[in-house]
Amino acid sequence: MPWELADGDDTLIARVVFNRPLDTVYHYLVPESLLDLIQPGQRLKVPFGRGDTMTTAFCVGLSNEISNNKRLKTIHEILDREPLLTQQMLDLTEWIADRYLSSWGQVLEGVVPAGVKKQAGTREILYYRVAENVGPISSLKLSKKQQLLMEILAETDEPLRVDQLSKSANCGTSPINALRDKKLIIPEKKRTHKAQLEELNVQQQADLVLNAEQQFALDEILKTVRSAEHETILLHGVTGSGKTEVYIQSIREIVSYGQQAIVLVPEISLTPQTIRRFRARFSSVAVLHSHLSDADRHWHWKQIAAGEVQVIVGARSAIFAPAPQLGLIIIDEEHESTFKQQSTPRYHAREVARQRAIRQKIPLILGTATPTLESLVRTIDGHDKLIRLKDRVEARPLPPVSIVDVRNDPMIMKRHSLGRAMTNSIQQAIRADGQVILFLNLRGFSSVLWCPKCQGLKCPDCDLTLTWHKDRERLLCHSCEFEMESPERCPTCGQPGLRFLGAGTQRLEAEVKSKFPEAKIIRMDSDSMRKPGSHDAALSAFREGEIDILLGTQMIAKGLDFPNVTLVGVIDADTLLHQPDLRAAERTFQLIAQVAGRTGRGTKGGRVLVQTMNPDEPVIKFATHHDYDGFAKYELKHRKAMNAPPYRSMARVILRSLDEKLVAAESKRIVQAIREIIKEKGIPVRVLGPAPAPITRLRKYYRYHFQMTSEEIATIQELWRHCVPLLKVASDVELTIDVDPVDLR
Ligand code: ADP
Ligand code: ZN
């Protein structure tokens, strides 16, 4: 009937998704009362499931085209006054869900910071002021504390918070409440932004005059900027070639158009040094690091969305910053694995950045001294543009790198960490007033407590050996919270005579201290740098020359620029090399190149010593010759032969359960079913596995995995959609899929 039709047309339907592993979009009716308020990007409360439990959902779209809306449920409430995301960002999250085989609702939940959802930092705060018409305080019958409080309040013009009052009068809340009950002081509520942002007083600096290589790179980037088309540019510049200056001057251009830039850096290089460099060049820089409080994060988000920020510098998740007119995205140290998120949604910030840049028709710059093979191959295939900075600024040479074969070194045989050559070189460097950086990949004191019968002592909940931490006098698991005192006897077989084997940073520190008692030494690893700010303090002490030797883990390998470092020692190049990981060689090459980049930055020059038991290993040789091209050619050939990324796309499925038999059986069942689908539909995907994961047990859970590879990621996505019905695993088993995994353990 016509009136029914008209009625139907007026009906507004919301498309919503839930923060659950379902990849369905649900439809709900928008009630009359909410018609003018609802917008995509808001969160809603809706009845869900058989019991109509009130559940939070994200509104991802609105339409009035659905016909049979009789059976639809109705939205109960809108939770956010303003949308949390723009339509553009909603579309991007939909792409992420699709690309990483995750649910849209889970992606949204992961992308919007908790502080933004909670509107953190804008709560109401209670203040007190003196009531009017209160006579002279001395005439009131008050206790001493109450009298003091009245005097304090009467003296200040402004109302005071409860905590301010109790602090100044040195009292609890009861005298304050008593005064309130007597109506001598009056409560007042104010909505305040709590965020206490640090006072910034940074001296602005002028841009540097670029050298010819830098200028060429900048010109190429600006061509793309002005073309108003997307292009990804791989800026492959050796350490110290001045990439940051190229970033800064590229940003300068888009800022002059009134646009904003996002600069992604690995969390670890979010040091004050990096931050200062950007703050010294742009008047409004937002720094998004993982230690921000919810309130600060919310405040930054609002400022960014309002277009008040020129440059957003942050770790992985800063790619979601709501910049209204984004003009440029830069990823520094593109090769770092921290750009891949290791929990749902398991996105890679580089790929999300590429997608955002394509949609907004802006350039994406990937900067690094050691490009990932993925990024390199895209330039070889002609998808992306390659620009190289071959020389360090001011033609400083790259440091000579020498391999030290320690297989027969008498010191190493006596279980020292520093071989003879390393010890002598440290001595020389310090005598010549240079500074030394020593790099070792393992924290702790000894890697293993060794039982002659059972070998290394393992964590009872994980399949990992425990590490002895001398400062805490405990054995720790580096994967879970398990820790124990060092036992007299082996807990498994009761054998006495346990020995410490291997060396971590703590033990290295002890050895360096005893060999160089005069030197000032600082250790940097996640144990010694647990207090906020200690990282910055240590680095500035090193820069000021108060420290002779800086030793530590990965934490010291990146982004640091200290001109006085004349020696870098890699204590053990082999630990990384021998990890059971597709990218073990690539990581070893990157690490040696990055660590080597920490020296020779000043006029004194510098050198690098690499201790290894595998001096003939090609990767180590390429690294000592600073030969990225040679390394890439060698490793790409190997990857091609193995049918591995970057030539094939990969997704890894991990199943875990407390019940080992169950998880093994479920893995087998699923892989069998997937193989049948592959055969039936003729989808070209190879399945490897199932097998126990390299870390078979983690936090009490048994883990199995299998891998799917194909030439195109789209093929794996297609297969996975056919698989969804059979992925209903037993209730005691959890299934995760990791697309483009970087961690295969
Ligand atoms: P990268 O990021 O490529 O490792 P940096 O950007 O850290 O290199 O630059 C290394 C050093 O060279 C920094 O101290 C920087 O200030 C300096 N520098 C960069 N460009 C120039 C230039 N054109 N002229 C003089 N010094 C420069
Ligand atoms: Zn453990």
Side-chain angles (χ1 to χ4, degrees):
M1 302 301 269
W3 58 87
E4 279 175 344
L5 248 179
D7 231 23
D9 276 348
D10 275 353
T11 315
L12 191 62
I13 276 112
R15 301 192 302 127
V16 315
V17 294
F18 293 92
N19 174 23
R20 303 169 163 235
L22 314 159
D23 82 311
T24 323
V25 176
Y26 291 81
H27 293 144
Y28 279 83
L29 281 177
V30 183
E32 184 116 356
S33 58
L34 301 181
L35 278 178
D36 294 335
L37 300 172
I38 192 161
Q39 294 178 63
Q42 286 166 327
R43 286 169 311 153
L44 314 170
K45 266 237 149 35
V46 300
F48 185 63
R50 264 193 226 135
D52 278 346
T53 319
M54 282 303 159
T55 311
T56 303
F58 265 98
C59 175
V60 294
L62 296 169
S63 60
N64 33 24
E65 285 153 34
I66 308 271
S67 50
N68 66 339
N69 50 35
K70 289 258 154 59
R71 282 150 51 211
L72 292 184
K73 295 177 185 175
T74 303
I75 296 169
H76 184 72
E77 191 187 342
I78 298 176
L79 294 176
D80 306 302
R81 206 180 314 168
E82 305 269 319
L84 300 176
L85 295 110
T86 59
Q87 189 59 48
Q88 216 169 28
M89 293 306 283
L90 276 175
D91 295 344
L92 185 67
T93 54
E94 186 180 16
W95 177 86
I96 294 172
D98 198 48
R99 176 71 172 69
Y100 293 97
L101 302 174
S102 165
S103 93
W104 194 356
Q106 285 182 318
V107 174
L108 285 168
E109 184 65 24
V111 157
V112 182
V116 174
K117 280 179 252 174
K118 284 190 285 195
Q119 301 284 298
T122 51
R123 61 169 188 177
E124 288 194 323
I125 297 178
L126 183 64
Y127 289 81
Y128 283 106
R129 60 175 172 81
V130 179
E132 279 159 37
N133 306 326
V134 174
I137 294 170
S138 51
S139 69
L140 302 166
K141 266 195 209 153
L142 294 174
S143 74
K144 265 206 179 124
K145 285 284 178 203
Q146 292 173 357
Q147 187 161 346
L148 182 59
L149 281 165
M150 289 300 288
E151 279 161 7
I152 290 167
L153 263 181
E155 259 168 43
T156 56
D157 286 342
E158 289 172 23
L160 292 177
R161 296 196 308 267
V162 177
D163 62 308
Q164 291 171 322
L165 278 171
S166 63
K167 197 171 161 210
S168 356
N170 193 19
C171 66
T173 48
S174 43
I176 302 175
N177 294 341
L179 289 174
R180 180 199 58 202
D181 294 343
K182 292 180 189 167
K183 299 213 161 38
L184 292 171
I185 61 174
I186 306 292
E188 234 167 52
K189 279 184 180 165
K190 279 196 205 169
R191 188 161 277 279
T192 334
H193 218 295
K194 274 190 314 187
Q196 292 285 317
L197 293 159
E198 48 180 317
E199 285 279 322
L200 295 175
N201 226 337
V202 187
Q203 179 90 46
Q204 290 288 304
Q205 284 169 3
D207 289 347
L208 299 174
V209 178
L210 299 182
N211 64 29
E213 271 193 335
Q214 287 173 315
Q215 188 62 50
F216 176 79
L218 177 66
D219 291 343
E220 288 294 305
I221 292 167
L222 293 188
K223 256 190 238 166
T224 305
V225 168
R226 290 171 192 149
S227 74
E229 288 297 330
H230 164 74
E231 183 165 44
T232 297
I233 297 166
L234 177 61
L235 182 61
H236 177 191
V238 297
T239 53
S241 56
K243 295 184 285 295
T244 312
E245 195 61 34
V246 175
Y247 305 152
I248 287 173
Q249 300 197 19
S250 311
I251 299 171
R252 179 80 56 225
E253 173 91 2
I254 64 109
V255 164
S256 78
Y257 309 161
Q259 296 178 326
Q260 304 93 37
I262 295 178
V263 182
L264 297 187
V265 297
E267 176 77 32
I268 209 140
S269 66
L270 261 176
T271 56
Q273 207 173 8
T274 319
I275 296 168
R276 223 175 296 129
R277 274 170 96 169
F278 281 93
R279 290 213 166 123
R281 304 297 188 84
F282 297 98
S283 55
S284 74
V285 178
V287 178
L288 306 178
H289 53 76
S290 60
H291 304 302
L292 283 183
S293 67
D294 278 352
D296 285 353
R297 197 169 286 275
H298 178 215
W299 189 86
H300 278 307
W301 182 275
K302 284 269 182 232
Q303 292 290 302
I304 294 166
E308 299 285 334
V309 173
Q310 296 170 325
V311 188
I312 299 129
V313 184
R316 182 176 64 228
S317 62
I319 192 56
F320 301 112
Q325 283 193 54
L326 192 61
L328 180 62
I329 307 175
I330 293 166
I331 303 186
D332 190 30
E333 312 284 9
E334 170 270 336
H335 60 277
E336 280 295 326
S337 50
T338 55
F339 290 121
K340 172 84 162 134
Q341 170 134 314
Q342 298 292 7
S343 56
T344 308
R346 294 173 173 253
Y347 66 89
H348 199 302
R350 184 184 58 222
E351 299 315 312
V352 177
R354 192 196 307 281
Q355 198 50 222
R356 190 167 177 189
I358 289 172
R359 285 158 185 255
Q360 302 194 226
K361 293 195 166 51
I362 58 170
L364 165 66
I365 303 175
L366 308 174
T368 172
T370 52
T372 53
L373 295 177
E374 280 77 6
S375 295
L376 180 70
V377 163
R378 285 186 61 89
T379 67
I380 295 173
D381 292 349
H383 296 301
D384 298 348
K385 184 193 264 177
L386 176 66
I387 303 176
R388 302 188 79 159
L389 299 176
K390 293 205 175 97
D391 297 314
R392 286 185 156 184
V393 288
E394 294 172 343
R396 285 169 207 147
L398 281 167
V401 181
S402 331
I403 297 182
V404 188
D405 178 355
V406 291
R407 280 175 299 186
N408 296 312
D409 190 299
M411 309 274 259
I412 300 288
M413 310 241 281
K414 278 193 268 172
R415 305 213 315 104
H416 289 232
S417 299
L418 304 176
R420 232 188 336 212
M422 188 72 80
T423 311
N424 292 340
S425 304
I426 297 174
Q427 190 105 53
Q428 281 168 17
I430 297 178
R431 274 211 198 116
D433 277 335
Q435 288 176 298
V436 177
I437 291 181
L438 298 178
F439 173 81
L440 182 62
N441 204 25
L442 180 75
R443 49 191 259 257
F445 192 77
S446 293
S447 45
V448 191
L449 188 53
W450 193 260
C451 163
K453 214 163 136 202
C454 312
Q455 308 190 329
L457 252 62
K458 286 191 173 176
C459 169
D461 299 333
C462 305
D463 185 28
L464 291 166
T465 45
L466 298 168
T467 305
W468 174 244
H469 284 240
K470 196 179 181 196
D471 49 358
R472 284 191 248 173
E473 299 270 322
R474 290 180 94 70
L475 284 157
L476 304 189
C477 172
H478 283 183
S479 222
C480 72
E481 297 79 26
F482 179 83
E483 51 176 85
M484 67 187 277
E485 281 172 18
S486 149
E488 296 272 320
R489 289 163 178 275
C490 173
T492 318
C493 68
Q495 189 102 359
L498 301 178
R499 285 177 56 199
F500 292 111
L501 283 189
T505 42
Q506 287 183 19
R507 180 178 168 140
L508 177 65
E509 182 184 23
E511 184 177 331
V512 173
K513 274 186 176 153
S514 81
K515 287 189 172 151
F516 305 98
E518 313 279 277
K520 279 177 240 81
I521 298 161
I522 193 157
R523 191 184 97 227
M524 264 175 83
D525 53 33
S526 49
D527 298 309
S528 68
M529 297 291 138
R530 265 188 293 183
K531 259 190 256 149
S534 52
H535 188 244
D536 312 346
L539 290 180
S540 52
F542 191 64
R543 185 186 347 249
E544 298 303 320
E546 290 158 24
I547 308 282
D548 303 306
I549 303 176
L550 170 68
L551 65 91
T553 54
Q554 260 103 326
M555 210 179 249
I556 61 174
K558 279 140 211 163
L560 307 179
D561 184 10
F562 300 117
N564 200 35
V565 172
T566 55
L567 175 69
V568 167
V570 179
I571 301 303
D572 179 5
D574 306 323
T575 38
L576 271 178
L577 195 57
H578 289 145
Q579 268 167 20
D581 188 308
L582 149 77
R583 292 184 180 83
E586 191 176 354
R587 295 218 176 102
T588 306
F589 181 87
Q590 285 166 355
L591 193 80
I592 296 178
Q594 294 293 336
V595 182
R598 299 310 118 222
T599 184
R601 289 185 163 240
T603 44
K604 283 187 184 170
R607 57 192 296 233
V608 183
L609 290 191
V610 179
Q611 295 191 146
T612 175
M613 300 265 187
N614 301 275
D616 298 323
E617 188 61 48
V619 175
I620 294 191
K621 283 198 168 153
F622 287 124
T624 55
H625 294 116
H626 303 289
D627 184 4
Y628 175 82
D629 293 340
F631 159 74
K633 209 170 150 200
Y634 166 85
E635 181 67 11
L636 281 175
K637 207 166 131 194
H638 179 62
R639 299 278 183 92
K640 196 156 215 166
M642 290 202 319
N643 261 322
Y647 293 108
R648 307 268 294 184
S649 291
M650 184 194 276
R652 179 187 184 220
V653 177
I654 306 145
L655 290 105
R656 56 171 218 161
S657 172
L658 292 168
D659 182 339
E660 189 176 11
K661 282 211 183 96
L662 183 65
V663 72
E666 281 290 87
S667 309
K668 214 165 143 195
R669 179 185 68 77
I670 288 181
V671 168
Q672 244 162 24
I674 291 178
R675 289 217 165 95
E676 268 160 40
I677 292 179
I678 288 174
K679 216 160 123 195
E680 185 191 319
K681 312 251 179 205
I683 302 173
V685 172
R686 257 184 69 194
V687 182
L688 260 153
I695 299 177
T696 314
R697 205 160 160 248
L698 192 63
R699 295 166 181 265
K700 293 194 163 88
Y701 284 85
Y702 291 94
R703 306 163 78 235
Y704 269 64
H705 73 162
F706 60 91
Q707 285 162 16
M708 299 180 285
T709 64
S710 180
E711 261 173 44
E712 300 285 338
I713 188 69
T715 318
I716 297 178
Q717 290 168 335
E718 184 199 341
L719 171 66
W720 198 247
R721 277 189 278 274
H722 289 297
C723 295
V724 169
L726 56 99
L727 295 177
K728 287 216 168 62
V729 283
S731 60
D732 300 341
V733 178
E734 264 174 56
L735 180 147
T736 330
I737 181 158
D738 190 358
V739 178
D740 305 334
V742 296
D743 187 349
L744 296 170
R745 285 172 301 165

